[in-house]
Amino acid sequence: MLVIAASSLFACRSGPATQPATQAGRWIAAEHTGELNLLSVDMVDRRNGFAVGDIGLMNGAVLRTSDGGQTWQPVSRTDEILAAVDFVSITRGWVAGYAGRIQRTDDGGLSWKVQRIEHKNEIINSIFFLDHERGWAVGSAGLLLATNNGGENWEVITTGRAEDLWSVKFITRNRGLIAGEEGLILMTENGGRDWIPQASHAHGALYGLAVANEYAVVVGENGWTGRTDDFRTWAAVESGTTESLNGVSLSGEECWAVGSKGVTVGSMDKGKTWKRASAAASGDLISVSLSAPTSGVAVGRHGAVQFLRSE
Amino acid sequence: MKHLEIVGMFVMRFSSCIAAMLLVLAVSCPLDAHHMVLRFNLEEMTVTADRVFLGRCVGVEETQEIIAQGPLPITRYTFEVERAIKGRLPRLFSFSQLGHPTKPASGKAREITVHGRAVTADTFIHGMSEYRIGDRALLFLIPNYLGGKVTYPVGMDQGAFTVSRMPSGKELVRNGINNLDLLTARYNGTSMKSGDARVVHPDREVVVEPQGLSAASQAITTKRGALPLESLIELVERINAAHGGTGGVVVERQQGSRVQ
């Protein structure tokens, strides 16, 4: 067994949340993946997922798990710092990063085709595909890219924003959200042509965004957490931590967010109340992905990986 | 490897400059999109640099310099120094970096130009920072080498931070790798070891020694991406002082400069 540590969900730290957890689970440290920072993870299903991140003196790697995040193997090498990964199936996915380059695989990460060449000073923080054809990517200084042919062509969409954009998600072909620096939340109702700022009531960076058909959650600096039911008005909710939250993911009514110093917080009621869990990782966690309720993976600095399992 | 092709090109023409290029190679070994470069945290970067300043680029001159036994393409940048944080710097400060800036080439797609010639992406040296007139940047420059004729930022583009202004008016800075690991990279031993650290401690729970720092500067330890300019400068000044530095000074003239 490659598990080296375990911790229980919703351990003792009491936060202001008033509703107890209704579902049990625990985060478990995965096999050590090395020293390289992992910046993004995407679980395709309960067993299969991909993680990307930093490069070292001997390049970096696209990592793959087929056992729900317990063990990871490099499936291909990369010479770019990759900050974003999104798969729509076990074979087709995209990666992007700090060179502004976008690559696609159709064989589960074994080989990659460059779809968008390197662009100096363009940093991509997040990439999201609604289906096999429609995708978006966001990054530094208001960068927004869109494709409607599986990434064969990428169009730059003018946002008029100077802030870094940290996360993009779409609920339908028309409705999408972006979270960014200085509390920025943008929403589109026409497939990304026009983006309208929404009042988030946050001042710091919003790093993570997760969406469902009937609600959405954002997280960011100083543990700031917000949610919406109508995709127009956002309310701040107490997250139970003041550490920065870097990523959030949801499945059904269950949400998990991760951040600095391994902080891990969860909600079982669509993000209305949160409680802190004992994390298995002590270092900074950057990204989290749920494939189903009580099934997910979080990754972070220096190769940190923890996975979620039911009790 | 692509960088070795570049080195080979130089070596054939300027055999005596092997040492020069190897010096660059010692800290960089570029590949396609990013480059294999030693990672520097802010404290090691500050200690390694002998000049740290905030300024605006006011001049870019592509030229050649006789280095060792032959001419090498260099770019001479002139900055109007707004604030010296480490070292003595003239108000108008010029320095030279090896190579010429890249530019989009007319004609074939994916073509770029290096050293004034159209080349393919395979022979492009990544990682050397470039500046355009009007760019505002915070630079950490290594001591001049090759007879004092050239320099470059610590860790290549890691030591070159461009400044941008947010709608709120806040000024942010980022380097070529989006400030990744700026406070969390472990000491690589180029100029110092972790045992000599005074302010930045990647292996401790409290990464930045908070003594003497404002709350805003302490807060950047968990900030991702672009960082507040003033907070970063405050941290650099704190690091410099912790290592016995006396702070930067802007002087009237640049000694030995040809561009003023």
Side-chain angles (χ1 to χ4, degrees), chain A residues 14 130 165 271 273 275 283:
Chain A
S14 59
L130 188 65
L165 306 179
T273 59
K275 281 189 176 179

Side-chain angles (χ1 to χ4, degrees), chain A residues 35 37 54-55 57 59 79-81 98-99 101 117-118 120 123 140 162-164 166 181-182 207 221 244 246 260 286 301-302, chain B residues 31-39 110 126 130 165-168 170 172 174 177-178 180-181 184 186 205 222-226:
Chain A
E35 280 300 305
N37 300 313
D54 206 349
I55 57 174
L57 290 174
N59 288 349
D79 53 24
E80 177 183 4
I81 299 169
Y98 288 1
R101 197 162 68 172
I117 63 169
E118 180 173 355
K120 190 171 177 61
I123 287 166
S140 60
E163 301 96 332
D164 284 2
W166 283 105
E181 203 71 29
E182 295 197 334
Y207 296 127
E221 277 188 281
S244 284
N246 294 315
S260 299
I286 306 293
R301 291 195 195 283
H302 303 309
Chain B
L31 283 175
D32 232 338
H34 271 91
H35 35 282
M36 294 188 292
V37 180
L38 287 175
R39 192 64 55 84
R110 300 189 180 195
H126 281 262
E130 303 172 0
R165 185 182 292 271
M166 294 294 101
S168 64
K170 189 191 299 182
L172 302 178
R174 91 172 82 239
I177 57 171
N178 204 23
L180 183 64
D181 255 356
T184 51
R186 294 184 172 130
E205 185 172 347
T222 57
K223 177 80 176 67
R224 295 168 63 196

Side-chain angles (χ1 to χ4, degrees), chain A residues 110-306:
Chain A
L110 296 175
S111 64
W112 295 87
K113 176 187 176 185
V114 176
Q115 295 189 308
R116 184 176 191 263
I117 63 169
E118 180 173 355
H119 284 64
K120 190 171 177 61
N121 297 327
E122 287 191 1
I123 287 166
I124 295 176
N125 291 319
S126 172
I127 190 166
F128 176 81
F129 273 77
L130 188 65
D131 51 38
H132 282 245
E133 303 301 325
R134 273 170 284 272
W136 296 264
V138 297
S140 60
L143 177 67
L144 171 61
L145 307 166
T147 180
N148 57 13
N149 59 6
E152 292 299 328
N153 302 100
W154 287 91
E155 180 185 1
V156 177
I157 307 295
T158 302
T159 62
R161 309 302 307 193
E163 301 96 332
D164 284 2
L165 306 179
W166 283 105
S167 184
V168 59
K169 294 283 176 7
F170 270 70
I171 302 98
T172 65
R173 290 183 181 186
N174 291 322
R175 175 176 283 181
L177 288 166
I178 291 172
E181 203 71 29
E182 295 197 334
L184 181 67
I185 296 178
L186 300 174
M187 181 175 174
T188 181
E189 293 277 18
N190 61 5
R193 288 289 140 200
D194 301 296
W195 292 87
I196 309 300
Q198 297 189 326
S200 71
H201 311 297
H203 300 290
L206 297 177
Y207 296 127
L209 168 66
V211 298
N213 285 334
E214 68 279 14
Y215 75 104
V217 176
V218 291
V219 299
E221 277 188 281
N222 306 315
W224 197 91
T225 302
R227 67 180 305 281
T228 181
D229 287 315
D230 60 8
F231 297 92
R232 285 176 176 76
T233 54
W234 292 83
V237 293
E238 179 56 59
S239 66
T241 181
T242 56
E243 298 291 346
S244 284
L245 293 172
N246 294 315
V248 63
S249 183
L250 62 81
S251 182
E253 298 188 353
E254 181 176 329
C255 310
W256 285 97
V258 297
S260 299
K261 299 177 183 173
V263 67
T264 303
V265 294
S267 169
M268 299 298 161
D269 56 6
K270 301 182 180 180
K272 294 174 185 170
T273 59
W274 296 78
K275 281 189 176 179
R276 187 162 174 170
S278 291
S282 58
D284 295 346
L285 293 170
I286 306 293
S287 175
V288 59
S289 174
L290 296 186
S291 58
T294 324
S295 177
V297 171
V299 301
R301 291 195 195 283
H302 303 309
V305 180
Q306 62 180 26

Side-chain angles (χ1 to χ4, degrees), chain B residues 207-245:
Chain B
V207 172
V208 173
E209 175 61 54
Q211 190 176 7
L213 276 180
S214 68
S217 292
Q218 290 179 46
I220 70 174
T221 58
T222 57
K223 177 80 176 67
R224 295 168 63 196
L227 298 170
L229 172 64
E230 284 304 319
S231 295
L232 187 65
I233 287 178
E234 182 191 344
L235 188 50
V236 173
E237 288 175 335
R238 165 96 174 85
I239 292 168
N240 188 34
H243 286 272

Side-chain angles (χ1 to χ4, degrees), chain B residues 25-221:
Chain B
L25 271 174
V27 292
S28 76
C29 200
L31 283 175
D32 232 338
H34 271 91
H35 35 282
M36 294 188 292
V37 180
L38 287 175
R39 192 64 55 84
F40 285 80
N41 68 42
L42 190 64
E43 182 158 351
E44 194 162 18
M45 187 181 289
T46 303
V47 169
T48 303
D50 70 339
R51 292 151 294 177
V52 181
F53 67 95
L54 174 67
R56 187 179 299 279
C57 181
V58 296
V60 179
E61 181 189 7
E62 296 178 24
T63 183
Q64 290 188 329
E65 183 78 64
I66 302 298
I67 295 175
Q69 296 178 356
L72 279 179
I74 63 163
T75 301
R76 183 172 295 117
Y77 295 101
T78 301
F79 273 71
E80 186 174 15
V81 177
E82 185 178 322
R83 189 165 166 185
I85 296 140
K86 181 178 181 181
R88 292 170 60 85
L89 292 147
R91 182 64 63 188
L92 273 181
F93 169 55
S94 294
F95 62 93
S96 298
Q97 295 183 175
L98 280 177
H100 289 169
T102 57
K103 319 167 190 65
S106 57
K108 296 177 182 176
R110 300 189 180 195
E111 212 174 41
I112 54 177
T113 65
V114 173
H115 311 141
R117 300 175 312 184
V119 295
T120 68
D122 288 342
T123 54
F124 170 43
I125 300 178
H126 281 262
M128 186 64 84
S129 55
E130 303 172 0
Y131 326 97
R132 294 167 299 182
I133 290 176
D135 283 354
R136 193 158 167 250
L138 175 66
L139 298 182
F140 294 66
L141 298 180
I142 68 160
N144 286 1
Y145 67 107
L146 292 178
K149 293 181 176 176
V150 290
T151 182
Y152 58 88
V154 179
M156 308 288 268
D157 58 3
Q158 291 176 65
F161 296 80
T162 54
V163 182
S164 60
R165 185 182 292 271
M166 294 294 101
S168 64
K170 189 191 299 182
E171 290 184 313
L172 302 178
V173 288
R174 91 172 82 239
N175 65 13
I177 57 171
N178 204 23
N179 300 337
L180 183 64
D181 255 356
L182 189 59
L183 297 172
T184 51
R186 294 184 172 130
Y187 287 87
N188 65 51
T190 297
S191 297
M192 58 181 292
K193 296 176 181 175
S194 58
D196 304 319
R198 312 280 168 80
V199 178
V200 177
H201 305 283
D203 297 320
R204 295 187 192 171
E205 185 172 347
V206 179
V207 172
V208 173
E209 175 61 54
Q211 190 176 7
L213 276 180
S214 68
S217 292
Q218 290 179 46
I220 70 174
T221 58

